[in-house]
Amino acid sequence: MTKEYSPDRLDIKAFAQAGGHLSGHDSLLKYERLAQEAKGLHPDLLVDWKAVSEIRPEAGGPGQIWLHLSVHASFPMECQRCLTPVDVPLDVERSFRFVADEATAEALDEECDEDLLALSREFDLRELIEDELLMALPVVPRHEECPTSVPLASSDDDFEVANSEKPNPFAALAALRKDGKGT
């Protein structure tokens, strides 16, 4: 008999002891904080994810609990170059080691290279997925090649007026040349 695990309330230790595997094909709308960042959200946008857990043997100890997470999504944003919609591919590949509690995770954080999380019997895997996708969002989303040409000219009427009123710093040299005093 195979035990069913819920990604919303996952007993991490039991999941790891069973060598658990979970995967999902969720609507992006299921991830509320992520959906707030989207431009042009629709129900066809999906988040594909896979979580695999294991216990790695540890010398003189009960073993370390690990969770490996793979996530792929296409996220609608606005290109900051041409200001048109762009679907940004988001890919996350992360591994996390679980420790007894938050205090232990905080104490070990400085000396460990791996990402540490506190062990829980009701771990919300979807919340972790959402956090990782939020961190993967580009600060400046843009197309590899914009579908429309991007004009690179700009003008500022106030700047033009201010510039036209300023005397040219080299005007004095030009005047000397006209007077025949310059060489």
Side-chain angles (χ1 to χ4, degrees):
M1 183 168 127
T2 307
K3 180 173 167 71
E4 290 291 320
Y5 293 98
S6 168
D8 302 315
R9 297 179 72 202
L10 187 60
D11 181 341
I12 292 292
K13 186 174 183 179
F15 186 61
Q17 288 171 334
H21 296 259
L22 276 175
S23 60
H25 194 67
D26 300 334
S27 168
L28 192 59
L29 297 172
K30 232 179 203 179
Y31 301 90
E32 191 174 306
R33 292 177 296 142
L34 191 60
Q36 290 173 359
E37 298 293 323
K39 304 286 186 216
L41 194 60
H42 56 83
D44 296 339
L45 293 169
L46 299 172
V47 175
D48 293 315
W49 58 269
K50 179 180 171 186
V52 178
S53 190
E54 68 172 324
I55 295 182
R56 290 186 187 167
E58 183 180 35
Q64 297 177 341
I65 298 172
W66 284 82
L67 178 74
H68 308 286
L69 182 64
S70 298
V71 184
H72 174 75
S74 184
F75 192 74
M77 298 186 87
E78 184 177 85
C79 175
Q80 296 302 295
R81 197 173 12 211
C82 68
L83 302 178
T84 62
V86 58
D87 285 337
V88 177
L90 301 177
D91 291 297
V92 174
E93 291 287 333
R94 298 285 301 270
S95 293
F96 304 91
R97 181 167 63 102
F98 284 84
V99 294
D101 51 38
E102 289 289 339
T104 305
E106 196 173 312
L108 294 175
D109 190 42
E110 291 296 319
E111 62 191 54
C112 290
D113 291 332
E114 63 263 9
D115 293 316
L116 302 174
L117 295 174
L119 197 58
S120 171
R121 298 185 113 198
E122 294 188 1
F123 185 76
D124 190 341
L125 183 58
R126 283 196 175 98
E127 187 176 316
L128 177 65
I129 291 168
E130 185 172 38
D131 289 345
E132 293 301 317
L133 287 173
L134 283 166
M135 288 190 291
L137 288 176
V139 175
V140 181
R142 59 180 181 230
H143 295 99
E144 286 292 322
E145 193 172 310
C146 291
T148 59
S149 63
V150 181
L152 297 177
S154 67
S155 67
D156 182 352
D157 293 337
D158 293 336
F159 178 77
E160 297 297 328
V161 168
N163 246 4
S164 67
E165 294 171 0
K166 271 189 198 175
N168 185 335
F170 297 103
L173 293 175
L176 287 173
R177 181 171 227 138
K178 286 181 185 176
D179 293 342
K181 297 178 185 172
T183 51

